[in-house]
Amino acid sequence: MSKILIIAEHGDGRLNQSTARCVSCALQIDGAGADVLVLGDDCATVAAEAASLQGVARVLSVQRPENAAPLAAVLAPQVAALAAGYSHVLGPSTTFGKDLMPRVAALLGVAQVSDLMAVEGPRRFRRPVYAGNAIVTVEVAEGRPVVATVRTASFKPSTAGGAASIESVGSAAALPGHSRFVELRRGGGGARPDLQTARVVVSGGRGVGSEANFTLLYQLADKIGAAVGASRAAVDAGYVPNDMQVGQTGKIIAPELYLAFGISGAIQHLTGIKDAGLIVAINKDPEASIFQAADIGLVGDLFEIIPALERALG
Amino acid sequence: MQKIMVCLKRVVDYNVRIRLRPDHSGVVSDGVKMSINPFDEIALEEALRLRERGLASEVFVVSIGPSDCQQQLRTGLAMGADRAVLVEEDGEVAPLTAARAFLKLVEREQPDLVLLGKQAIDDDCNQTGQMLAALWDRPQATFASKLEVNGGSATVTREVDAGLEVIEVELPAVVTADLRLNEPRYVKLPEIMKAKKKPLETLTLGGLGVEADTSLRTLAWNEPQERQKGVMVSDVPALVAALHDKGFFN
């Protein structure tokens, strides 16, 4: 039997949806569900949200002023101490989890399974390597805790309807004072849906041509209630901020609909969208490799197509 | 700041389209171009810039893997590193093993800063820097897009999902490089010649007293599932019709 602990991700007093996706992953490992650990300085709302997810057995909440910002060096010793007795410790494969979980694994003296994308057994999983160009099956040796980051795009979020207990837990772990949070400068999303959880994503590449031209994409996105993403080329060219990057080194997303405008389709980008329900590519170059990955392709000038699309869908 | 240690991993070059071995035991590496992991190259560039600005006196590069890793260390020396250390190991090197080996080098060398890439583009693990920082009990600043060293501390801007996070860490610390930290320099021929004379020390994992981590075993390698081939449409009305047909915007 497995005993699973999930490290909750949260911000602005809300539970991040990545946690609900980890719960779904945990349910595939063991149908009995999982405990969720919330670390913060004011955890009540987040803990209540976690407790309402189906598949959550118990919510453990560690409230300390030091946990106000998610500093891996501060959180990891607390997680490692509370991991005792658990067979699995899971976190999301977001920048939060990628930062924290390897530090936890090293404190526990075990390897980490990064980007867990499929469960084949309690200790056997599949994960992508080489930007998703190969998939490996890995197995964690018996007698060691499984520490993993969960590729959130591979699991649907667990839905509400649970009623887990919430327990306040003390943490005696000695915390370092060598790391200090200064500030978070928010990215380009604004009031639009979150890129990682949006149903529909409108995305632009180098073909968009400039920061000003991205306005076309924002307008279309606002009309159809979509989030806006970008390729690395568009980010590197300075058209949009870094947090909009989709791909191997950016965000891995799984929207129901992905509309790619002026994106050539580098393999590193495609790895970020391979779980999208429907991929639509618009590019003026009929040879662009994005068309190999797209479900629907349209060769043409995005500066004509976007306004026409906006009129047709608005 | 005295010393900066930079960790370099030898990986299949960024531009190579990998192929699985016929027996699915891994990827074809014979005759394939190998390079420094691009994120590690960015880490090295950052270290060299700190030295050039007079903020560090020495930059040394380290790697762990087969003796062929000497090629990538030589490239690092040609970029401008002062010396190199290779921990030779022919077997698979898990991130935890690498972190343990790097910890031994850290204990011997006492660097003020360890720089490495946020992830290697072969296993895409994104673990080694965080694990080293944990074992060393020092701060970590992952996914760095800006690094400012001010005396005994560093201010690091990190690329996180919500935007840019700024943290301050006391030195020594581990910093992992993201794509936009800098653009690495090109190596010129005279530097390649000069690099041949720079010191390159070879150690072994056993000699360092490091136990290889074997807690995670790779059982199989497979091709990713292909998506079904898509359709091309000729104009916007046809695209809209296709979207309606798939259940969108009805």
Side-chain angles (χ1 to χ4, degrees):
Chain A
M1 211 192 82
S2 305
K3 200 163 173 245
I4 306 170
L5 183 67
I6 293 168
I7 314 308
E9 176 174 8
H10 57 95
D12 299 325
R14 297 297 308 272
L15 185 70
N16 189 294
Q17 200 200 59
S18 63
T19 308
R21 293 173 184 268
C22 288
V23 174
S24 292
C25 174
L27 282 167
Q28 290 186 24
I29 296 169
D30 191 314
D35 292 352
V36 173
L37 174 60
V38 180
L39 301 141
D41 63 338
D42 182 7
C43 306
T45 320
V46 173
E49 281 184 79
S52 75
L53 293 173
Q54 276 182 27
V56 176
R58 237 172 18 139
V59 176
L60 308 175
S61 140
V62 181
Q63 203 159 298
R64 291 177 71 148
E66 297 94 329
N67 293 345
L71 289 165
V74 171
L75 302 185
Q78 302 174 68
V79 175
L82 289 164
Y86 286 94
S87 60
H88 296 65
V89 186
L90 309 180
S93 193
T94 55
T95 53
F96 164 77
K98 287 175 181 174
D99 187 40
L100 172 63
M101 299 308 288
R103 191 156 183 133
V104 171
L107 292 179
L108 296 173
V110 296
Q112 177 187 276
V113 179
S114 292
D115 302 315
L116 191 170
M117 65 184 284
V119 177
E120 291 198 345
R123 313 183 73 83
R124 189 180 286 195
F125 313 101
R126 286 207 300 272
R127 62 172 302 260
V129 294
Y130 288 95
N133 283 309
I135 308 296
V136 290
T137 305
V138 296
E139 188 168 64
V140 183
E142 287 292 337
R144 316 267 200 117
V146 175
V147 176
T149 58
V150 175
R151 187 174 179 278
T152 49
S154 301
F155 298 89
K156 297 223 176 314
S158 167
T159 48
S165 63
I166 300 173
E167 294 170 31
S168 194
V169 190
S171 170
L175 303 185
H178 53 44
S179 304
R180 197 171 65 82
F181 171 82
V182 179
E183 62 169 328
L184 176 66
R185 294 185 215 132
R186 285 185 197 283
R192 286 184 198 93
D194 175 38
L195 181 55
Q196 273 163 314
T197 55
R199 238 187 101 239
V200 180
V201 171
V202 170
S203 199
R206 198 191 297 277
V208 177
S210 71
E211 188 180 353
N213 289 347
F214 249 86
T215 311
L216 277 174
L217 272 79
Y218 297 133
Q219 283 169 357
L220 174 63
D222 291 344
K223 196 100 178 203
I224 62 176
V228 181
S231 69
R232 178 185 166 189
V235 177
D236 283 354
Y239 303 166
V240 294
N242 66 285
D243 57 294
M244 286 169 64
Q245 185 177 325
V246 172
Q248 180 190 19
T249 62
K251 285 174 178 155
I252 310 279
I253 59 173
E256 289 171 31
L257 174 62
Y258 188 77
L259 296 157
F261 294 95
I263 291 178
S264 62
I267 188 75
Q268 289 81 8
H269 183 75
L270 299 180
T271 197
I273 56 169
K274 60 200 291 182
D275 290 310
L278 189 74
I279 298 175
V280 176
I282 287 99
N283 202 301
K284 67 177 181 203
D285 174 11
E287 302 299 318
S289 48
I290 187 85
F291 289 123
Q292 303 300 316
D295 301 296
I296 302 173
L298 172 56
V299 177
D301 183 353
L302 65 92
F303 299 105
E304 290 164 15
I305 290 171
I306 293 178
L309 202 53
E310 205 181 312
R311 280 193 299 274
L313 297 176
Chain B
M1 190 159 62
Q2 293 296 309
K3 276 192 212 179
I4 304 177
M5 173 167 130
V6 181
C7 311
L8 305 180
K9 185 176 185 183
R10 171 185 167 90
V11 297
V12 173
D13 187 79
Y14 184 78
N15 290 307
V16 173
R17 192 162 188 120
I18 59 125
R19 281 180 301 126
L20 288 188
R21 288 193 204 118
D23 66 354
H24 282 214
S25 62
V27 299
V28 175
S29 55
D30 288 347
V32 168
K33 187 183 179 202
M34 304 295 284
S35 299
I36 298 176
N37 173 42
F39 291 101
D40 296 339
E41 201 179 353
I42 294 168
L44 174 55
E45 175 66 34
E46 196 66 15
L48 296 173
R49 290 183 190 187
L50 286 169
R51 191 192 60 193
E52 284 158 6
R53 297 209 309 265
L55 291 166
S57 48
E58 189 192 29
V59 173
F60 67 104
V61 285
V62 306
S63 190
I64 177 166
S67 61
D68 287 342
C69 294
Q70 290 192 17
Q71 295 162 13
Q72 281 65 46
L73 287 172
R74 288 287 172 204
T75 305
L77 293 171
M79 279 177 71
D82 299 295
R83 62 190 169 89
V85 182
L86 172 61
V87 180
E88 255 192 63
E89 171 57 37
D90 288 328
E92 201 181 321
V93 178
L96 184 57
T97 308
R100 285 175 179 160
F102 294 152
L103 178 69
K104 292 287 180 188
L105 299 179
V106 157
E107 285 167 351
R108 187 184 82 168
E109 301 278 352
Q110 303 283 320
D112 303 282
L113 181 64
V114 176
L115 272 161
L116 70 166
K118 73 166 179 178
Q119 77 191 71
I121 60 162
D122 51 1
D123 61 23
D124 282 332
C125 270
N126 197 329
Q127 298 176 9
T128 306
Q130 295 89 312
M131 287 182 158
L132 171 60
L135 300 177
W136 191 14
D137 200 13
R138 294 302 308 167
Q140 70 187 46
T142 52
F143 327 139
S145 65
K146 193 176 175 197
L147 168 62
E148 294 163 287
V149 173
N150 11 44
S153 70
T155 303
V156 184
T157 304
R158 308 176 56 232
E159 295 202 357
V160 296
D161 291 336
L164 295 170
E165 186 193 75
V166 182
I167 64 170
E168 195 178 84
V169 293
E170 285 172 18
L171 299 178
V174 177
V175 175
T176 76
D178 213 320
L179 280 173
R180 284 169 278 273
L181 185 58
N182 60 53
E183 269 189 52
R185 68 197 60 191
Y186 287 102
V187 174
K188 296 186 201 84
L189 190 62
E191 266 96 43
I192 296 173
M193 302 311 289
K194 235 165 50 187
K196 289 182 178 160
K197 298 202 185 79
K198 289 184 179 175
L200 192 161
E201 182 187 7
T202 304
L203 307 167
T204 62
L205 207 53
L208 285 174
V210 172
E211 200 192 327
D213 172 66
T214 54
S215 58
L216 188 64
R217 231 162 31 102
T218 302
L219 305 177
W221 288 73
N222 285 293
E223 308 271 0
Q225 258 188 331
E226 295 275 339
R227 284 181 85 94
Q228 284 200 316
K229 204 163 163 39
V231 295
M232 297 299 290
V233 294
S234 55
D235 53 21
V236 171
L239 173 58
V240 172
L243 287 171
H244 287 325
D245 188 45
K246 296 281 182 187
F248 291 101
F249 310 116
N250 285 318

